[in-house]
Amino acid sequence: MTDPSASLSFFARFWLAWLCFWRCLVSREFAQAVLPTSRAYDAGQLKELPSGDTQAPPPVKTPVVQAPVAPAPLPPEREHASALSLLAMLQREGRFLDFVQENVAAFPDADVGAAARIVHEGCRKVVHQYLTLQPVLPQGEGDKVTVPPGFDAQRIRLTGNVAGEPPYGGTLRHHGWVTTEVKFPTVSSAMEPRVLAPAEVELA
């Protein structure tokens, strides 16, 4: 292999030495690339080096990390499929939607009460089948209760004259409800969750 320094003038070699000096100081990568050539020169083996080793290695390309693609948001009817399924069950067992969509103001109280009894029975069946409920507070409505410091505002809502700091003393107006177990069935992707009750056509 021809020595590349043979074609360089003294001033060219002086300028190259100046550049290599400063680049070795400021660049660890450049110094590591020059080190094998310097050791081969000290050992008298410079001509045995492949031509590629006498040159600085190509810059390492940093791999481009692709950001994870967020899944497309579900349409509302799929995102809330469980809630729509509950409405469908309340309609199927207790005619809940029929009742709330009806203008009951035009009906006598006796008729409204009879319809409410049917709705109550069916809706109660659905709730007991798929949800396990218990009161937030065990006391009966009308009992005196004490609300301690650090109470959970999602479980206990204060009404009336709320002033000062807890503990508060008051009367329980409603014991609240909390769900301890949910047993909704899985909604099949083949089902259309927006259909809460199919139209019924009786054939002659």
Side-chain angles (χ1 to χ4, degrees):
M1 181 182 68
T2 303
D3 186 357
S5 63
S7 60
L8 296 178
S9 66
F10 170 79
F11 292 103
R13 297 197 304 274
F14 178 81
W15 177 246
L16 180 62
W18 179 260
L19 289 178
C20 289
F21 171 75
W22 285 108
R23 286 176 178 173
C24 285
L25 286 181
V26 301
S27 173
R28 181 187 300 270
E29 291 79 5
F30 185 84
Q32 289 176 338
V34 171
L35 181 60
T37 303
S38 176
R39 288 176 175 174
Y41 179 82
D42 293 339
Q45 300 174 348
L46 185 62
K47 294 183 179 181
E48 299 178 8
L49 287 177
S51 58
D53 289 349
T54 61
Q55 300 176 0
V60 177
K61 295 183 179 180
T62 303
V64 178
V65 179
Q66 298 290 339
V69 179
L74 294 174
E77 63 271 17
R78 289 297 173 188
E79 183 178 358
H80 306 292
S82 294
L84 295 174
S85 175
L86 176 60
L87 282 178
M89 289 184 286
L90 292 173
Q91 166 64 20
R92 183 174 63 249
E93 298 293 340
R95 296 289 185 177
F96 174 75
L97 296 177
D98 291 344
F99 183 76
V100 298
Q101 288 293 95
E102 190 69 54
N103 182 12
V104 299
F107 294 92
D109 292 346
D111 293 344
V112 175
R117 187 179 302 276
I118 297 174
V119 173
H120 173 269
E121 181 180 355
C123 292
R124 178 184 174 89
K125 175 182 176 182
V126 170
V127 170
H128 286 182
Q129 182 177 357
Y130 295 105
L131 301 172
T132 301
L133 303 176
Q134 70 177 24
V136 174
L137 296 180
Q139 295 88 343
E141 295 179 358
D143 290 349
K144 296 296 183 180
V145 295
T146 299
V147 180
F151 70 94
D152 188 345
Q154 295 187 68
R155 289 176 171 257
I156 301 177
R157 182 175 61 198
L158 303 178
T159 61
N161 184 23
V162 181
E165 298 294 330
Y168 300 113
T171 302
L172 183 63
R173 296 304 181 193
H174 190 276
H175 53 59
W177 292 109
V178 60
T179 303
T180 59
E181 186 178 6
V182 178
K183 297 171 288 187
F184 286 158
T186 303
V187 180
S188 171
S189 59
M191 301 294 291
E192 171 53 82
R194 294 177 297 179
V195 179
L196 303 180
E200 298 179 8
V201 178
E202 183 179 356
L203 303 181

